[in-house]
Amino acid sequence: MATTSIYISATFNSNSAQGKKCKYVGQSVRAVPIRIVSVGKKRSQGLQLIVDDYVEKLKYYCAVEDVQIRSNPRNARDQRAQVDDEDSAVMNLIRSDDWVVMLDEHGQDIGSEQMAELVGDAGNTGASRLYFCIGGPYGHGRKLRERANLSIKLSSLVLNHQIALLVLMEQLYRSWTILRGQKYHH
């Protein structure tokens, strides 16, 4: 599926960029199950506790699955081979009816309200799952780049995969509180 095959307001609501409310606040949003796939080394216990805490919080809004893929699964010395192996491992998880968001330092810069709109928009596409893919040390491979429906960045700073995961988890929780009109986001 190409990036343009499912159009989700990739330009997003301009009101959100100006600090106004998300277009879905107060509306019913279909809760698409979320799968977060991150490529990297074994997580620290502290990070895993925080991730588990956010998974528990998010369960009140939607099903969330946290999938870890070991970086450089075949211990390749060549960076390209490493990225290709990681790319194949990620692509083996994705189905044709999944909506895929690739986290990338060159992706579209979005705010919290826009992230909430992304989650809301995904519920309206008919997708079976919403994927968020966090790449390994050398980024994403060609197959995922071609398959992703949208590429976003969480920060203008480059974040390692563990920090990116933490920021993503918090932003997903924040997105659902925005969508439900709860007081977490102000």
Side-chain angles (χ1 to χ4, degrees):
M1 208 181 277
T3 303
T4 57
S5 62
I6 297 177
Y7 178 75
I8 294 198
S9 54
T11 55
F12 296 104
N13 183 344
S14 62
N15 291 336
S16 293
Q18 299 169 4
K20 297 190 179 169
K21 293 200 183 266
C22 168
K23 67 183 177 184
Y24 291 109
V25 172
Q27 297 181 30
S28 179
V29 174
R30 180 175 156 251
V32 178
I34 295 174
R35 181 179 267 183
I36 300 163
V37 178
S38 59
V39 176
K41 296 178 182 173
K42 184 176 174 161
R43 294 181 188 155
S44 71
Q45 291 179 349
L47 175 68
Q48 191 60 54
L49 286 172
I50 295 170
V51 168
D52 293 344
D53 186 48
Y54 275 109
V55 167
E56 280 299 311
K57 289 178 180 183
L58 284 163
K59 281 183 182 178
Y60 293 102
Y61 305 104
C62 66
V64 177
E65 187 178 0
D66 170 32
V67 178
Q68 297 177 57
I69 294 178
R70 190 174 138 247
S71 63
N72 198 9
R74 293 190 314 157
N75 294 320
R77 292 179 188 233
D78 177 55
Q79 290 178 3
R80 184 79 261 143
Q82 178 179 340
V83 171
D84 288 346
D85 288 345
E86 295 165 356
D87 192 34
S88 292
V90 171
M91 291 303 296
N92 285 336
L93 298 173
I94 298 172
R95 298 187 311 223
S96 63
D97 60 343
D98 292 332
W99 199 74
V100 180
V101 177
M102 180 178 69
L103 303 184
D104 185 77
E105 64 186 281
H106 304 292
Q108 185 175 354
D109 190 15
I110 66 171
S112 296
E113 290 86 1
Q114 292 166 314
M115 177 68 104
E117 287 184 10
L118 184 157
V119 170
D121 285 347
N124 292 331
T125 66
S128 63
R129 283 182 297 197
L130 173 57
Y131 263 79
F132 287 91
C133 299
I134 301 171
Y138 301 109
H140 298 287
R142 180 190 53 79
K143 290 183 241 174
L144 181 63
R145 288 184 179 284
E146 290 172 359
R147 169 59 177 87
N149 297 97
L150 184 63
S151 175
I152 64 170
K153 63 181 175 179
L154 296 174
S155 170
S156 293
L157 302 170
V158 176
L159 306 174
N160 79 25
H161 67 280
Q162 292 191 20
I163 300 301
L165 174 62
L166 179 59
V167 172
L168 175 63
M169 296 300 289
E170 192 280 335
Q171 285 300 303
L172 288 172
Y173 177 70
R174 182 175 297 273
S175 293
W176 275 106
T177 63
I178 290 170
L179 292 169
R180 301 295 166 138
Q182 296 170 336
K183 295 183 187 262
Y184 181 76
H185 179 75
H186 50 273

